Structures are given as structure tokens and as C-alpha cells.
Amino acid sequence: QRRPRVLSGIQPTADSFHLGNYLGALRQWVALQDTHEAFYCVVDLHAITVEQDPKVLRARTRASAAQLLAIGIDPERSSLFVQSHVPEHAQLGWVLECLTGFGEAGRMTQFKDKSARQAADRISVGLFTYPILQAADILLYRADFVPVGEDQRQHLELTRDLAQRFNTRFGKTFKLPEPYIVKDTAKIYDLQDPTAKMSKSVPAGMVELLEDPKRSAKKFRSAVTDTGREIVYDPAEKAGVSNLLVIYSALSGRSIDDLVADYDGKGYGDLKKDLGEVFTEFVAPIQQRVRGYLDDPAELDKVLARGAERAREVTSGVLRAVHERVGF
Ligand code: ADP
Ligand code: NA
């Protein structure tokens, strides 16, 4: 009996992943390896939907792969690859674009957010069709589950709609994937604005895996909280403190109740300082392993080449079936 399959991707559009990426998505990637057949990719095709510097993109693609290995993606058990190394992604993307309504694509809220306040000719068509390529990424593997953060739910719905539409028109080809969203950490908030999600587009309140942990500790210390003093978990009234508790709990493995009990009678300052230390301890070995992978480019190339080869064992057959069914 085959294990359920998961597929997920992450863009190489920053020098480092941030804590929202890690707790919202990447940590689940690692855990799912134990129970699922996993395909994980660095989605460099998606990264050129906004203007890129080729040298920087190449470096970030490698750094992304190195971070995934460093947090515990095991290339013996999972297929870890770079999206552009597997040409079937773009090929299926085109077929699915031709099945997507223009209005349907226009309803994607992430596109609306990303394109707001920009002149139309500065926004690429690729940014518009991005969720369709993402659908291709997923459907190519006939994935059962897609571990993502809450912000990706709408794209997953589109993916399911496209799978269903293709199956209805051309015969059953694709599996309808389910999102795999871990509620507790589905949304990590910005440390400076705990009503907004932590995101690389707002660097001030973002903690990065590869930054100097001293800098991260300082960000935790200056995290925005409320004017109260009691440490309780109350996302509606105390968004900042609650966010810190969620992060603390996820990194330490201790329950929020346990933390709240432990900090009874102590102040926000204690919590923030301790969280800085917890994060530092968590991230130090990761940073060391990232350096190791980046210092051995040949080994990293080998891992990624093997991952792409394993991916293509799946994708070439699926694309062949698709081509045949649409009339190529
Ligand atoms: P960003 O929002 O910083 O641009 P990406 O869009 O590259 O990050 O997100 C990569 C993955 O990380 C996605 O699965 C997304 O759902 C998840 N993610 C991003 N930000 C957060 C967050 N603040 N909390 C939880 N998950 C997040
Ligand atoms: Na995003």
C-alpha cells in the first residue's frame, strides 16, 4: 500500500526563509516525511514573476535548498528538487492556463494584493497566472495533501477546480488534493504589527533563519505588545503576546498553557528575552548546517539532480497522459 503523497514548494525570493515560512509550512514538510511520500521543490519559475537578478536568483535557489536540508528535509526519503529542472511543470501549466477563466484567475486575492498600487504594465502576466502554475506543480504529482499556510487556501481551491474540470472534460487524470494546514501555526504574525502576517514584504517585524541570532533576539525584545502586563493567550485582545506564545510553544515543544502557568507573575520583558534565547538555540545548528551545504556545491548539485530525476519518474508519465487526452 503506497503512502499518501505530499507536494509543496517554496520560492527562492529572499536570502533567508522567515519564521512564518518555517512554522507555517516548512516544519510540516519535515514531519510529513515520516508518514508520507514527499516531493518538495524550490519554485524558481514562480520567482521570476517579479523582476529578478539572475545571479541573485541562482544563489537564492541554492540557499533555499540548503536551508531545506538544514531544517531536516532528508533527500534519502524525500525528493528535493528545483522546479525549473523538471520541465513538465511549465508544460502542464500551459494546458491548465487554457482551462482557466480570465475572471476566475482575476479573483485570486493574493494577486490583487500583490498587484495593488502598481501600474498595469509593471505587473507581469506571469504574476497573474502564478496560481495556475502552482496548480500544475501539485497536480503533476497527483498529490493527496499540500502542506501550506492559511494564505494559500484559495489557490488550493483553484487547483481542485482545475483538476475537476480537466477530469470532467478529458477523463479522470488528476487527484483532487487537500490542503494540509496546521491550525496552531497556520499564521504567524509580524512582530511589529501583530495584526498582519509575518512576511518578507514587511522586513521590520520578520525574523529570518539566516540572520544573526543576536539581531533576532533584539527583534523579539522589541516586539509590539499591549499596555497590559499579564501573559495570557488571547489572540483577539492580546495579539502580540499571543503570537509570541505561539512561536515560543512551537519552538520549545511546550504547550501554551504550560508557558502561561510558568510566566504567571512575570512580565512581557521576561517572555521576550527567553524567547530570544529559545530561538537562538533552535537556529544555531541550522545555520551551521546551511554553511556546510553551501561550502560543498558538488554535493548540493548531486542531491538536487537526484531529486529532479525522481520527480521526472512521476511527471513524465502524467504529462504524457495529459497530452494524449487533450489531443496532442
Ligand atoms: P511570504 O508571505 O513571506 O512572501 P511565501 O509566500 O513565500 O512567504 O510563503 C511560503 C510558505 O510559507 C507558504 O506555504 C505560506 O503559506 C507560508 N507562510 C508565509 N508567511 C507565513 C506566515 N506569516 N505564517 C504562516 N505561514 C506563512
Ligand atoms: Na506570500
Side-chain angles (χ1 to χ4, degrees):
Q1 193 190 334
R2 101 169 158 82
R3 293 173 161 205
R5 189 178 278 174
V6 293
L7 172 289
S8 202
I10 183 131
Q11 289 199 64
T13 42
D15 293 329
S16 169
F17 295 142
H18 60 73
L19 202 48
N21 299 142
Y22 177 72
L23 294 179
L26 304 179
R27 198 169 63 126
Q28 279 66 253
W29 291 21
V30 175
L32 285 164
Q33 299 180 113
D34 296 335
T35 46
H36 290 65
E37 183 192 2
F39 290 86
Y40 295 132
C41 55
V42 179
V43 292
D44 55 348
L45 297 181
H46 288 279
I48 68 167
T49 56
V50 293
E51 197 175 317
Q52 86 283 14
D53 174 326
K55 262 219 241 36
V56 173
L57 175 59
R58 199 167 291 122
R60 286 175 169 177
T61 299
R62 301 181 69 81
S64 298
Q67 286 173 88
L68 292 173
L69 293 164
I71 62 167
I73 299 301
D74 171 6
E76 296 301 322
R77 289 188 290 161
S78 304
S79 304
L80 174 67
F81 60 97
V82 176
Q83 186 188 27
S84 65
H85 298 176
V86 181
E88 288 82 3
H89 287 250
Q91 291 175 285
L92 179 62
W94 176 252
V95 173
L96 296 181
E97 278 183 38
C98 296
L99 276 183
T100 309
F102 190 79
E104 183 179 34
R107 284 192 289 276
M108 296 297 117
T109 56
Q110 197 171 78
F111 172 74
K112 288 194 226 172
D113 291 348
K114 288 190 174 173
S115 60
R117 296 177 306 277
Q118 290 210 58
D121 279 341
R122 295 198 49 94
I123 304 157
S124 76
V125 174
L127 189 67
F128 184 67
T129 57
Y130 179 118
I132 309 169
L133 179 60
Q134 189 180 333
D137 299 337
I138 297 164
L139 298 181
L140 256 182
Y141 295 86
R142 296 185 167 130
D144 299 282
F145 297 102
V146 186
V148 284
E150 185 61 46
D151 57 348
Q152 290 294 324
R153 199 182 276 281
Q154 191 189 29
H155 290 170
L156 242 294
E157 271 310 309
L158 177 71
T159 301
R160 291 169 56 87
D161 289 346
L162 292 174
Q164 181 74 62
R165 195 170 305 156
F166 188 99
N167 288 350
T168 305
R169 284 186 58 181
F170 303 111
K172 184 152 180 8
T173 307
F174 294 122
K175 187 157 222 154
L176 270 59
E178 303 279 349
Y180 181 94
I181 296 178
V182 175
K183 267 215 183 60
D184 299 341
T185 51
K187 196 163 176 184
I188 299 298
Y189 294 89
D190 186 283
L191 297 184
Q192 286 302 313
D193 174 7
T195 61
K197 74 163 193 169
M198 185 181 287
S199 167
K200 60 180 167 284
S201 34
V202 199
M206 170 182 75
V207 171
E208 293 178 301
L209 297 189
L210 298 187
E211 72 186 357
D212 182 347
K214 287 200 196 80
R215 207 177 131 91
S216 312
K218 208 166 140 201
K219 288 178 183 170
F220 283 119
R221 280 202 304 276
S222 57
V224 168
T225 40
D226 52 82
T227 52
R229 41 182 54 238
E230 215 194 336
I231 296 172
V232 290
Y233 181 72
D234 180 354
E237 297 297 321
K238 294 165 91 71
V241 174
S242 301
N243 189 42
L244 295 178
L245 284 170
V246 166
I247 296 171
Y248 198 141
S249 166
L251 292 179
S252 66
R254 297 172 60 189
S255 74
I256 288 183
D257 287 346
D258 183 30
L259 291 172
V260 167
D262 201 28
Y263 280 92
D264 184 32
K266 296 183 194 162
Y268 293 168
D270 298 308
L271 177 75
K272 292 174 178 178
K273 183 174 152 290
D274 293 351
L275 178 51
E277 283 168 17
V278 166
F279 179 77
T280 300
E281 238 171 78
F282 154 78
V283 87
I286 292 178
Q287 292 193 353
Q288 198 180 352
R289 287 196 290 273
V290 167
R291 279 192 294 272
Y293 289 115
L294 293 178
D295 286 347
D296 190 353
E299 176 60 23
L300 190 57
D301 284 340
K302 215 164 72 191
V303 167
L304 295 174
R306 201 171 55 211
E309 212 172 285
R310 295 220 300 247
R312 296 199 73 185
E313 283 169 19
V314 175
T315 60
S316 59
V318 174
L319 189 75
R320 214 178 305 119
V322 166
H323 277 190
E324 208 259 320
R325 281 168 201 180
V326 299
F328 292 164

